[in-house]
């Protein structure tokens, strides 16, 4: 596609529910990132994929967060047993090259998660 | 741990003014620095990317400078327009192998018509 597509755009979950957020990066983009943006804050890094390999997951806040990119294209961020502090916008970004490249990141519009 | 600070947090100016947004970072060992704009309910749009070896980048009415040794960057917007109203975010990529960008909290800019 022409840009990074994320779905759903809005998700309301009851505390304790599991949610799955999807990211369709730009076709052919090697690198894929997930960020979490709380209200009034800048985005915070969650995890990074190069193709299908998850090279860095140091930003995932707990073991309730899990991300995958099994075929090196679409990625899913899963949050188990959601809690109110998980409420945020989850942003996906992709870039053409690997981590050492100079390409800029292209961000999706984000998935806004509200946990009640 | 890298920390990025943006000043001011919010700014409101009349249309037509030139303005400067500031960004500072604590660890000067960066790979590059990027400025983004974020419109409400939308993702981030990359404005300018400065590699660590560069001093500045220009795109239209925007000019970004980088002083890596002092840990500072500025975004200069010339002849501001109401359409420039948005939140501007500064982000650095660490040179020590960190994969993700470290963002500041942003400057919320309002250009008054």
């Amino acid at each position: 596609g022409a840009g990074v597509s994320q779905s759903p755009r809005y998700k309301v979950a009851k505390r304790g529910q599991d949610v799955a957020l999807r990211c369709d990066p730009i076709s052919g983009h090697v690198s894929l990132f997930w960020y979490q943006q709380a209200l009034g804050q800048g985005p915070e890094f969650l995890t990074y994929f190069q193709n299908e390999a998850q090279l860095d997951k140091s930003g995932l806040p707990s073991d309730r967060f899990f991300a995958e990119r099994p075929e090196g294209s679409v990625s899913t961020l899963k949050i188990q047993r959601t809690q109110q502090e998980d409420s945020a916008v989850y942003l996906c970004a992709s870039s053409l090259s690997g981590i050492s490249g100079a390409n800029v990141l292209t961000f999706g519009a984000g998935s806004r998660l509200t946990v009640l | 741990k890298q920390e990025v600070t943006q000043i001011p947090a919010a700014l409101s100016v009349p249309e037509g003014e030139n303005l400067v947004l500031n960004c500072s970072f604590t660890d000067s060992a960066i790979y590059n620095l990027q400025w983004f704009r974020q419109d409400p309910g939308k993702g981030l749009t990359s404005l300018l990317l400065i590699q660590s070896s560069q001093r500045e980048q220009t795109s239209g009415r925007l000019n970004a400078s980088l002083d890596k040794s002092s840990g500072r960057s500025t975004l200069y917007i010339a002849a501001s327009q109401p359409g420039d109203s948005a939140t501007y975010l500064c982000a650095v990529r660490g040179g020590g192998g960190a994969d993700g960008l470290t963002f500041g909290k942003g400057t919320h800019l309002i250009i008054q018509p």
Side-chain angles (χ1 to χ4, degrees):
Chain A
V4 178
S5 177
Q6 293 189 245
S7 60
R9 287 294 315 279
Y10 304 93
K11 176 69 178 178
V12 179
K14 293 183 179 179
R15 188 173 54 183
Q17 283 184 333
D18 298 347
V19 299
L21 308 176
R22 176 188 169 105
C23 173
D24 281 88
I26 293 174
S27 179
H29 275 200
V30 169
S31 294
L32 185 145
F33 298 79
W34 283 98
Y35 287 84
Q36 180 191 56
Q37 187 175 23
L39 188 64
Q41 304 294 313
E44 292 196 357
F45 169 77
L46 294 177
T47 187
Y48 162 67
F49 290 86
Q50 183 168 308
N51 296 309
E52 71 278 4
Q54 189 175 20
L55 298 186
D56 188 344
K57 54 182 181 180
S58 62
L60 296 176
S62 76
D63 59 6
R64 296 186 296 105
F65 286 71
F66 172 77
E68 60 182 4
R69 192 186 186 196
E71 297 179 357
S73 55
V74 172
S75 177
T76 303
L77 176 66
K78 298 179 180 178
I79 309 173
Q80 297 177 324
R81 305 181 303 282
T82 53
Q83 301 177 4
Q84 286 186 324
E85 59 262 33
D86 300 335
S87 296
V89 175
Y90 290 85
L91 295 165
C92 177
S94 68
S95 71
L96 181 61
S97 66
I99 193 65
S100 61
N103 299 105
V104 301
L105 290 181
T106 301
F107 278 81
S111 291
R112 181 179 295 277
L113 172 64
T114 302
V115 182
L116 303 177
Chain B
K1 178 184 175 184
Q2 178 75 270
E3 292 184 2
V4 178
T5 302
Q6 291 188 245
I7 295 174
L11 182 63
S12 180
V13 301
E15 179 179 5
E17 285 199 6
N18 303 323
L19 53 99
V20 175
L21 308 182
N22 296 290
C23 171
S24 61
F25 45 95
T26 55
D27 185 348
S28 62
I30 64 169
Y31 187 79
N32 59 39
L33 181 145
Q34 204 161 345
W35 283 93
F36 296 86
R37 72 174 277 169
Q38 186 172 31
D39 295 280
K42 297 186 179 181
L44 281 64
T45 300
S46 179
L47 298 173
L48 291 164
L49 171 69
I50 311 177
Q51 299 297 337
S52 61
S53 59
Q54 297 175 322
R55 299 283 293 183
E56 66 176 344
Q57 284 286 338
T58 298
S59 176
R61 294 182 293 108
L62 304 180
N63 175 275
S65 68
L66 173 64
D67 184 343
K68 197 176 81 163
S69 61
S70 67
R72 294 180 182 180
S73 175
T74 61
L75 179 66
Y76 176 82
I77 303 176
S80 59
Q81 302 172 358
D84 295 332
S85 298
T87 296
Y88 289 80
L89 292 158
C90 168
V92 298
R93 171 167 285 166
D99 293 322
L101 298 176
T102 302
F103 283 84
K105 292 184 179 181
T107 294
H108 182 57
L109 176 65
I110 296 176
I111 306 299
Q112 306 157 10

